[in-house]
Amino acid sequence: MESTTQNLFELAVTINGTRYERKVEPRMLLSDFLRHELDLTGTHVGCEHGVCGACSVLMDGRPVRSCLMFAVQVNGHEIVTVEGLGTIDNLHPVQKSFQEAHGLQCGFCTPGILTTVVAFLETNPNPSDEEIREALSGNLCRCTGYQHIVDAVRLAAEKMKEK
Amino acid sequence: MEKKLIGKRIMRNEDPRLLTGQAQFVDDVNLPGMLHAAFLRSEYAHARLVRLDVSKARQHPGVVAVFTAEDMGKDWFPGPPLVSPPPTVEDVVFHSRRQVPLVKDKIRHAGEAVAVVIAENRYIAEDAAELIEAEYESLPVIMNIEKALEADSPLVHDDLDSNLAAQLSQKKGDYEVARKAADVVIRRRILIERGAAAAMENRGVVAQWDAKGQALTVWDTTQAPIPIRNGLASRLGLSESQVRVIAPYIGGGFGPKIMMFYPEEMLIPWLAMKLNRPVKWIEDRRENFYATTQERGQVHDVEIALTRDGKVLGLKDDFLHDTGAYDPYGLTIPINTQCHAMGGYDIKNFTSEFKVVFTNKIIVTPVRGAGRPQGIFVIERMMDAAAKELGIDPVELRKRNLIQPDAFPYEHGIIDQAFAPLILDSGNYPAVLQKTLDAIGYEKFIKDEQPRLRKEGKHVGIAVAPFIETTGIGPYEGARVTVEASGKVNVATGIGTQGQGHFTSFAQIVAEQVGVKVTDVRIVTGDTAEFHWGTGTFASRGAVVAGSAMHAASSMVRKKIFTLASKILETPEEELELEDGVVRIADMPQRSISLGELALLANPLRGAVEPGTEPGLESTAYYGPRYGPTAFGAHAMILEIDPDTMMVKIRRYVVTEDCGTVLNPLILEGQVHGGVSMGIGNSFYEQLHYDENGQLLNASFADYLLVGATEMPHIEVHHVETLSPLNELGAKGAGEAGAIPVPALFAQAVENALHDQSVEVMEMPLSPNRLFELAKS
């Protein structure tokens, strides 16, 4: 993106294992940086005020809302977005589980849920349905009513235990 | 033909792309030289635009242009009427007033667009928008639909005599005779407010004008790409073949994305042509609350007339309907309300008059349910009031009035939203209701569990609500099915997809006929370059109407396959089998030919195509029903309320759904779950709080409460399949079903739970505050 000010910050960040160096305005949101600067459009923006969770990415392994962060805040950190979880030919077990359990419909909220769930299952590999719902309570979905998402997370937990 | 694929729980074809972040949504479109738009929107709900000075904004570095209504010159004009009033009903009053690209002289709702800034990036565009100087003369704000019709009310549209946008009556039988013959007549006033659709993806438009090729491409979060293409071509003076509208992956539709010719949709393509650079506009969430359509309020005065043993003789339902500042969508929603106000009951006398009223709020157009939930709320509340008055069990009362299985097709003699006669095609209403009653254990709960819980001081209620859903209306849709040289099948249709699994359910329909794997069928939706004729995805019609066209086109391709294979293999058609992409001679399976080879032979580079035939293994078919099938369902819920906090906990939720042939149970259940979550939101959590100045006080997800995973119960879904005789698939629509009966169910459950506080709920939505007020009074 063109900038009309010279007030640029030199940002260095690792995203999905690749190191990026860019000059950005301090006020550029992390979500905009990922989507429009780096063309990593898998992370979606649903509300831009931190409630819906669609923009969730992993920062040093923990879910953060990229719409509530400035790109400059991740300088020197490691970010994982949905593009870093798996590929079409090699889906992450969580992604595979979502397909098998029909845990998505329009898919807009899904990337934020996937990153949240991947981090969640690392801290709680054996969750109850109630714990799964609690973990999902920061992600809004308008299509699914959450039921198949809960099924998908349960299935993913089983799959990952077998590995 | 035995069904191998239809009815199976097949995983979705589209998921790998969506799950890996590879699916393209409108905001993912990134074009060289692309500019970004931001709007200055009015904060006043009703005001004259006195002065607009955009000079400072124009000078801001990075700004390419700023446009006002004046700057558009002769290209400024309102959007087209989308749905005209029904031609066959007498004495219809209809004043058509539509939205404009930018405000010229008067603002009619908060959020109306006053100017647009185009800049190198969105950040700069928003900065510059703040530099625009706008002077308004505020006018009295019209928020209440009853007050709006008073003689001295200020007017939303000054060229009219009043705020009456439309008026229409429908009748069946003779209600006055029924009333006189009744033993009991019950009257109620019912107030219903709905809410925002709040799809997770906001709206957006990207437009690119290729001046050398004279072609316009528009990416739009629309549920209706073909009508948008046609309308844009007309507005911009282009041929329809010069305009391509693409609705790529869409992050949820739910209705407001079938509203067409939003100001931004009219403006952005025009700007792209004017500036000769691609222009992108993406709505933010706050804008969505102000500038994307919602479905709003109705006030009903209802009367039901019954015999002493609970037979409904007649129903009278007069109501007001809030259309907001403009009425481009005609009478769709209130007519739907009328058509559902009798529910699935055998009511022989009905009269209903509605008045549509202008207010200073965002335009009202369908949101999932589209007026049906209001109709069902009305009849179900009246049935419950009647049950109390007559001392009859509420479920028993419903059983006594349901349309019986031998009464179909059941003609109501009024017209529906598609101007077709309201005819309920088929159903087995008692069986569906019974299945729900059995699944929730109604008898046992009423006799044993509830009394026990009440003794423990718990407030637990049970509710059961049956409902109809009109679906699958015309005018038509089409599909083209093509077997390619690869042996895979390519299919195109005019409707769009917003998550309902078309790429899979449609592939199942096609694969069933053409004998290939579901994963070898590529479905293209929402691209006007691929298919030219159609309307859109709305009114629970995609599977029925587009699906039927796909079924017809695939069947024709199947015939072509057999005809050609018979010639090539020199064997009569009856002795051939088609499976897994190969045609074989049944008794000599080693003699076969693949579909890919057949496709090549059907499109020769030499030789001749026989007169009266077409090249290739391809067919196009259209399906245009006179009227659509009516689905039926029954929901039940067990709900606990804490009378101190008035917070609710849904203990059990059961759905029985009869939408005829189920194409893919996995997808159908997902649709039901999603619909129920919106219904629960509409009943208890979601509420649009406007103040008397037309300001929306909760225009964010922090305060407009969408249901989360911890609020949703586990939903048990059961099926009954009463096939529709209206289409070869035997299918009925189901997209909105989950949302329709929920407010009625909630009201019943709440009353039943608060049994010791004689609360009567004749309004929606509820909330802990409101329940507290109702219980106190």
Side-chain angles (χ1 to χ4, degrees):
Chain A
M1 273 196 226
E2 251 195 62
S3 173
T4 55
T5 77
Q6 289 312 299
N7 189 17
L8 298 178
F9 182 90
E10 294 205 18
L11 172 63
V13 58
T14 302
I15 299 175
N16 300 329
T18 302
R19 183 181 160 81
Y20 295 90
E21 284 172 18
R22 294 282 190 282
K23 292 196 177 76
V24 297
E25 279 189 67
R27 64 172 179 169
M28 176 173 285
L29 298 176
L30 178 58
S31 49
D32 288 337
F33 177 72
L34 292 169
R35 290 179 48 73
H36 301 302
E37 194 64 32
L38 301 183
D39 207 32
L40 291 169
T41 55
T43 301
H44 300 145
V45 175
C47 72
E48 233 170 28
H49 48 267
V51 177
C52 78
C55 68
S56 302
V57 298
L58 299 178
M59 178 166 148
D60 304 328
R62 286 176 49 250
V64 295
R65 273 126 153 77
S66 62
C67 77
L68 287 184
M69 294 188 73
F70 295 116
V72 297
Q73 286 178 272
V74 302
N75 190 40
H77 288 272
E78 287 200 26
I79 304 289
V80 174
T81 69
V82 64
E83 289 95 339
L85 296 181
T87 61
I88 288 175
D89 298 316
N90 189 13
L91 294 174
H92 188 286
V94 172
Q95 289 166 321
K96 193 87 190 83
S97 304
F98 269 71
Q99 185 184 22
E100 287 173 23
H102 188 38
L104 66 154
Q105 290 181 28
C106 80
F108 196 78
C109 72
T110 308
I113 291 187
L114 291 174
T115 51
T116 303
V117 167
V118 163
F120 169 66
L121 289 176
E122 254 160 53
T123 62
N124 189 347
N126 209 1
S128 66
D129 276 12
E130 212 179 305
E131 287 168 339
I132 293 173
R133 285 183 184 270
E134 194 67 41
L136 290 170
S137 60
N139 293 78
L140 295 179
C141 172
R142 206 50 167 155
C143 291
T144 67
Y146 306 99
Q147 192 154 315
H148 286 151
I149 296 179
V150 174
D151 293 342
V153 178
R154 204 187 307 115
L155 182 61
E158 280 167 34
K159 276 195 209 289
M160 285 166 72
K161 262 188 282 185
E162 285 160 22
K163 278 196 151 193
Chain B
M1 240 184 79
E2 190 211 309
K3 281 189 280 195
K4 288 190 246 170
L5 296 168
I6 289 181
K8 298 290 184 292
R9 301 174 81 87
I10 294 181
M11 284 191 325
R12 300 197 324 170
N13 283 347
E14 55 264 56
D15 285 355
R17 286 205 82 79
L18 289 165
L19 286 164
T20 52
Q22 302 303 312
Q24 186 180 63
F25 293 82
V26 169
D27 190 25
D28 303 343
V29 174
N30 192 10
L31 302 167
M34 191 167 73
L35 298 169
H36 299 259
F39 285 90
L40 174 70
R41 295 182 183 280
S42 165
E43 284 168 5
Y44 289 89
H46 199 199
R48 285 196 203 290
L49 181 58
V50 170
R51 189 180 71 91
L52 199 53
D53 182 351
V54 302
S55 51
K56 289 205 182 77
R58 281 200 176 116
Q59 287 154 27
H60 185 94
V63 170
V64 167
V66 180
F67 283 87
T68 66
E70 293 289 328
D71 297 325
M72 290 185 76
K74 61 167 177 48
D75 293 336
W76 183 97
F77 51 95
L82 301 174
V83 185
S84 46
T88 51
V89 178
E90 288 173 18
D91 303 324
V92 177
V93 170
F94 189 73
H95 301 295
S96 175
R97 294 289 180 277
R98 285 102 52 197
Q99 67 289 356
V100 298
L102 291 169
V103 169
K104 207 169 225 182
D105 40 34
K106 192 169 133 157
I107 287 122
R108 295 186 175 86
H109 69 85
E112 224 179 335
V114 169
V116 62
V117 178
I118 321 292
E120 298 291 342
N121 66 51
R122 177 65 180 252
Y123 291 68
I124 293 171
E126 288 190 13
D127 285 344
E130 284 178 21
L131 299 176
I132 297 176
E133 288 168 14
E135 207 181 294
Y136 306 97
E137 178 204 313
S138 78
L139 298 167
V141 176
I142 301 130
M143 296 301 289
N144 179 296
I145 48 180
E146 289 178 286
K147 288 210 184 77
L149 289 179
E150 283 168 12
D152 57 352
S153 169
L155 296 177
V156 177
H157 295 277
D158 300 309
D159 57 329
L160 295 174
D161 294 327
S162 74
N163 290 313
L164 182 71
Q167 185 166 341
L168 182 148
S169 296
Q170 296 212 68
K171 276 193 217 322
K172 174 189 178 187
D174 190 331
Y175 176 72
E176 288 305 317
V177 169
R179 176 134 92 61
K180 290 199 182 77
D183 297 317
V184 157
V185 175
I186 298 166
R187 274 177 214 90
R188 289 292 188 274
R189 210 171 105 98
I190 296 180
L191 291 124
I192 306 155
E193 289 278 357
R194 291 210 57 222
M200 293 322 298
E201 181 202 32
N202 292 312
R203 288 186 300 121
V205 183
V206 177
Q208 179 180 45
W209 170 243
D210 172 6
K212 288 198 179 133
Q214 292 283 295
L216 177 70
T217 307
V218 180
W219 290 262
D220 187 355
T221 54
T222 179
Q223 292 168 225
I226 291 174
I228 294 289
R229 189 256 332 255
N230 298 347
L232 283 178
S234 168
R235 286 185 77 86
L236 298 168
L238 298 170
S239 159
E240 286 174 9
S241 63
Q242 287 177 280
V243 181
R244 179 183 184 188
V245 176
I246 300 168
Y249 283 92
I250 306 286
F254 310 120
K257 290 174 180 170
I258 193 108
M259 162 63 189
M260 295 176 246
F261 306 104
Y262 276 100
E264 304 88 356
E265 266 173 326
M266 297 191 273
L267 201 45
I268 302 296
W270 181 82
L271 288 168
M273 288 182 77
K274 198 96 180 119
L275 298 172
N276 203 13
R277 279 180 71 176
V279 179
K280 170 186 270 195
W281 170 74
I282 302 297
E283 187 186 52
D284 69 27
R285 182 55 61 179
R286 190 174 155 74
E287 276 181 299
N288 183 277
F289 275 103
Y290 277 102
T292 287
T293 60
Q294 299 162 353
E295 209 190 299
R296 307 282 299 132
Q298 292 181 350
V299 177
H300 289 249
D301 282 302
V302 197
E303 208 178 273
I304 193 169
L306 307 105
T307 65
R308 200 158 290 113
D309 45 74
K311 185 82 186 87
V312 178
L313 296 181
L315 184 77
K316 180 176 202 279
D317 182 15
D318 294 335
F319 62 100
L320 302 180
H321 173 82
D322 182 351
T323 186
Y326 303 98
D327 59 356
Y329 221 86
L331 305 175
T332 299
I333 298 168
I335 290 180
N336 268 348
T337 301
Q338 278 181 332
C339 288
H340 290 73
M342 288 181 273
Y345 303 113
D346 178 23
I347 298 177
K348 296 198 161 54
N349 302 287
F350 174 71
T351 174
S352 170
E353 180 193 79
F354 65 75
K355 293 190 174 127
V356 177
V357 187
F358 287 121
T359 58
N360 289 125
K361 296 179 212 161
I362 180 64
I363 304 168
V364 173
T365 70
V367 174
R368 201 171 198 170
R372 298 179 189 75
Q374 291 93 314
I376 296 295
F377 189 77
V378 162
I379 184 62
E380 290 301 300
R381 295 281 66 222
M382 297 310 284
M383 293 297 269
D384 283 321
K388 276 206 195 82
E389 179 100 6
L390 292 170
I392 300 175
D393 173 80
V395 167
E396 179 57 35
L397 182 69
R398 286 164 167 86
K399 283 181 179 174
R400 287 184 195 174
N401 286 283
L402 278 181
I403 295 169
Q404 294 301 303
D406 58 1
F408 294 97
Y410 184 95
E411 293 198 36
H412 266 300
I414 63 174
I415 57 124
D416 73 4
Q417 61 157 315
F419 312 158
L422 179 63
I423 301 173
L424 311 186
D425 62 317
S426 66
N428 189 347
Y429 298 175
V432 173
L433 178 59
Q434 196 56 51
K435 200 159 198 175
T436 287
L437 293 168
D438 294 340
I440 199 132
Y442 183 77
E443 295 283 340
K444 190 160 179 294
F445 184 83
I446 295 279
K447 283 203 182 74
D448 304 330
E449 290 174 50
Q450 193 177 46
R452 181 178 53 79
L453 290 162
R454 283 178 176 171
K455 274 211 191 72
E456 293 172 18
K458 295 221 165 87
H459 291 77
V460 186
I462 189 168
V464 180
F467 68 101
I468 58 163
E469 180 193 0
T470 55
T471 73
I473 55 169
Y476 72 92
E477 290 301 333
R480 185 186 64 248
V481 175
T482 312
V483 179
E484 298 186 328
S486 61
K488 298 198 181 175
V489 182
N490 196 61
V491 181
T493 181
I495 66 170
T497 308
Q498 308 86 36
Q500 15 344 39
H502 291 157
F503 303 106
T504 308
S505 52
F506 289 170
Q508 287 171 259
I509 293 173
V510 172
E512 188 83 75
Q513 293 294 317
V514 182
V516 296
K517 295 205 290 284
V518 172
T519 44
D520 282 339
V521 180
R522 175 176 176 262
I523 305 280
V524 177
T525 66
D527 184 345
T528 63
E530 292 275 346
F531 202 83
H532 300 294
W533 299 95
T535 11
T537 313
F538 59 98
S540 302
R541 65 194 289 278
V544 171
V545 188
S548 291
M550 292 211 179
H551 176 78
S554 317
S555 309
M556 284 155 65
V557 169
R558 184 184 175 85
K559 279 199 191 70
K560 288 188 178 183
I561 289 170
F562 275 87
T563 303
L564 183 60
S566 166
K567 223 169 64 159
I568 305 291
L569 295 173
E570 293 170 315
T571 307
E573 287 185 31
E574 317 83 71
E575 292 171 29
L576 297 175
E577 283 174 347
L578 168 57
E579 203 179 345
D580 286 333
V582 176
V583 184
R584 286 187 182 79
I585 299 178
D587 300 332
M588 278 190 283
Q590 68 274 23
R591 288 205 56 213
S592 65
I593 184 163
S594 72
L595 287 183
E597 290 174 80
L598 274 175
L600 277 170
L601 290 168
N603 185 24
L605 283 171
R606 295 284 185 276
V609 170
E610 279 185 42
T613 67
E614 291 161 354
L617 291 176
E618 177 179 284
S619 283
T620 299
Y622 295 92
Y623 176 73
R626 184 167 83 95
Y627 64 94
T630 302
F632 183 82
H635 289 204
M637 172 166 80
I638 294 176
L639 177 85
E640 179 167 358
I641 303 183
D642 177 340
D644 292 330
T645 62
M646 292 300 190
M647 285 297 284
V648 305
K649 186 82 190 155
I650 301 172
R651 294 258 165 250
R652 283 195 64 202
Y653 200 104
V654 165
V655 171
T656 303
E657 173 62 34
D658 184 355
C659 54
T661 303
V662 176
L663 300 172
N664 184 324
L666 205 50
I667 289 176
L668 172 68
E669 283 163 18
Q671 289 294 301
V672 172
H673 297 165
V676 171
S677 78
M678 288 183 98
I680 290 176
N682 280 137
S683 304
F684 200 72
Y685 298 93
E686 296 176 45
Q687 200 163 359
L688 293 158
H689 292 281
Y690 285 92
D691 72 7
E692 68 279 2
N693 295 317
Q695 302 297 303
L696 181 57
L697 301 175
N698 60 338
S700 86
F701 285 159
D703 299 307
Y704 183 81
L705 305 175
L706 295 191
V707 159
T710 43
E711 283 77 52
M712 279 302 290
H714 178 86
I715 304 167
E716 304 156 40
V717 181
H718 303 270
H719 301 286
V720 169
E721 279 191 12
T722 310
L723 303 193
S724 172
L726 298 181
N727 60 74
E728 281 194 36
L729 294 170
K732 306 183 181 188
E736 294 162 277
I740 291 171
V742 189
L745 195 68
F746 235 91
Q748 218 192 95
V750 161
E751 283 181 5
N752 193 254
L754 295 174
H755 63 106
D756 52 355
Q757 298 185 44
S758 58
V759 164
E760 190 177 65
V761 177
M762 287 294 162
E763 61 187 81
M764 268 297 142
L766 298 170
S767 64
N769 275 2
R770 189 64 194 133
L771 275 185
F772 184 70
E773 282 170 5
L774 286 171
K776 268 206 322 187
S777 65

